[in-house]
Amino acid sequence: MAADAYVLGTEPPERERLRLQHEVWLPLAQAAWERAQLAPGQRVLDLGAGPGFCSVELARAVGAKGRVLALEHSDTYVDHARAAAAAANLAQLEVRRHDLAGDGPFDWGREAGSFDLAWSRWLAMFLPRLEPFLALVGEGLRPGGRFVAHEYMHWDTFALHPYGEAVDRFGRAVRASFREAGGDEDVNRRLPALLVSRGFRIDDLRPLPVLGRGGDGWSQWMERFVSLYGEELIRQGRWSEADAEEAVAEMAAARSDPGSYWVGPTVLELRATRVGT
Ligand SMILES: C[S@@+](CC[C@H](N)C(=O)[O-])C[C@H]1O[C@@H](n2cnc3c(N)ncnc32)[C@H](O)[C@@H]1O
């Protein structure tokens, strides 16, 4: 895979979308980290870190005596995450380029089996192969270390109710495009069983439904995705200018209609422990 082959791209509008997405999802991520007993001084892996939004938060949470190792495939995002670490003066955050779906071995140095927590969010859904990623999680965590993932388990809940017909067509086109790129948007249907087969214990499975109304943060997150990824779907021939115009009208109507609401694709929070010695 080319270094910037992330299906949603790394251009400024996508980075801005990721930032907005991070803002609305951060409290849920922090609650998940708390459930996984994240604490100062710990060692954390952030896998598929993007421009480093979670990496920075994790580095603040573990403090100067802790360590965060962020792995990311895109050179552009690696540069952004490094710049964010430097700007926030977080020497405990290291960002490295690595393809989590590739066969290349990861150079752990002396750090194999030393991490307390591995975190990933909206990464596994883009991986054409999950084995290298799961193997790396198993290699990195110490016995008793935890893996926490926020990945979708039911993309089909994505909708603008009650009248978002163009948005509904958009959702179906998105799913098809993710699949064609080798991903699985509902990957968290499979991750728990795959972890069990690798000797992990599943500690918690928790759906995280989200609902947006009246132009709130959740609505903006979903609107932004329709606008931005709609352009890519038009390029792919799965969606048309007319579809996009119809969706814009539906979204504008929904913003001022107190009876209308968005439902996000359902994320499953997965928390597992690496057992053994
Ligand atoms: C939707 S973004 C999520 C970024 C970050 N986890 C967050 O929640 O803000 C998906 C990220 O996964 C990265 N990614 C996709 N395939 C990858 C691979 N094979 N190895 C490493 N990173 C990958 C992309 O480059 C992108 O930064």
Side-chain angles (χ1 to χ4, degrees):
M1 202 199 282
D4 269 343
Y6 165 48
V7 64
L8 301 177
T10 56
E11 295 302 310
E14 170 59 7
R15 285 206 300 277
E16 174 55 19
R17 190 193 71 82
L18 287 182
R19 194 195 55 72
L20 175 73
Q21 172 170 265
H22 175 70
E23 236 168 60
V24 288
W25 279 93
L26 178 60
L28 292 165
Q30 287 173 324
W33 301 337
E34 203 176 310
R35 281 190 277 274
Q37 292 162 6
L38 177 68
Q42 286 187 345
R43 301 167 55 77
V44 178
L45 292 166
D46 182 7
L47 303 172
F53 298 122
C54 284
S55 318
V56 163
E57 297 297 339
L58 288 163
R60 289 195 176 117
V62 298
K65 297 208 165 108
R67 168 157 165 78
V68 175
L69 178 56
L71 304 184
E72 166 57 47
H73 189 225
S74 147
D75 290 324
T76 308
Y77 282 164
V78 166
D79 290 346
H80 276 272
R82 284 180 180 157
N89 209 11
L90 295 167
Q92 66 270 36
L93 169 55
E94 183 191 353
V95 186
R96 269 198 240 167
R97 182 175 179 272
H98 185 68
D99 178 3
L100 288 155
D103 284 323
F106 183 72
D107 181 6
W108 289 102
R110 293 163 173 252
E111 295 193 291
S114 73
F115 286 87
D116 301 289
L117 173 68
W119 159 254
S120 75
R121 186 174 68 174
W122 301 308
L123 162 76
M125 62 181 288
F126 296 112
L127 299 178
R129 300 168 63 222
L130 293 171
E131 293 73 23
F133 160 64
L134 293 172
L136 183 138
V137 171
E139 286 162 19
L141 287 177
R142 62 168 173 79
R146 289 165 298 278
F147 172 55
V148 179
H150 278 181
E151 295 278 353
Y152 296 119
M153 67 162 182
H154 201 77
W155 219 96
D156 246 1
T157 52
F158 174 80
L160 176 57
H161 295 300
Y163 45 66
E165 288 175 16
V167 169
D168 186 55
R169 292 199 297 281
F170 169 84
R172 277 184 270 130
V174 170
R175 296 188 58 170
S177 80
F178 283 175
R179 296 234 164 190
E180 193 156 294
D184 171 4
E185 70 286 356
D186 287 332
V187 70
N188 238 354
R189 294 182 184 186
R190 295 188 287 135
L191 284 184
L194 290 170
L195 286 162
V196 168
S197 72
R198 287 177 169 270
F200 279 73
R201 181 185 74 226
I202 304 300
D203 299 317
D204 195 20
L205 297 174
R206 180 183 298 247
L208 301 177
V210 300
L211 189 146
R213 296 180 66 199
D216 65 6
W218 294 113
S219 313
Q220 288 173 40
W221 169 54
M222 288 180 259
E223 283 185 14
R224 190 77 61 96
F225 184 58
V226 173
S227 309
L228 205 60
Y229 201 57
E231 291 171 19
E232 172 59 23
L233 292 177
I234 290 171
R235 275 192 291 277
Q236 292 180 8
R238 297 178 196 278
W239 174 249
S240 66
E241 298 283 356
D243 285 327
E245 276 169 31
E246 208 181 308
V248 165
E250 288 174 0
M251 295 190 294
R255 248 173 268 137
S256 55
D257 177 352
S260 175
Y261 63 97
W262 285 94
V263 179
T266 309
V267 166
L268 178 76
E269 178 174 316
L270 156 63
R271 190 173 77 247
T273 295
R274 189 197 146 194
V275 287
T277 51

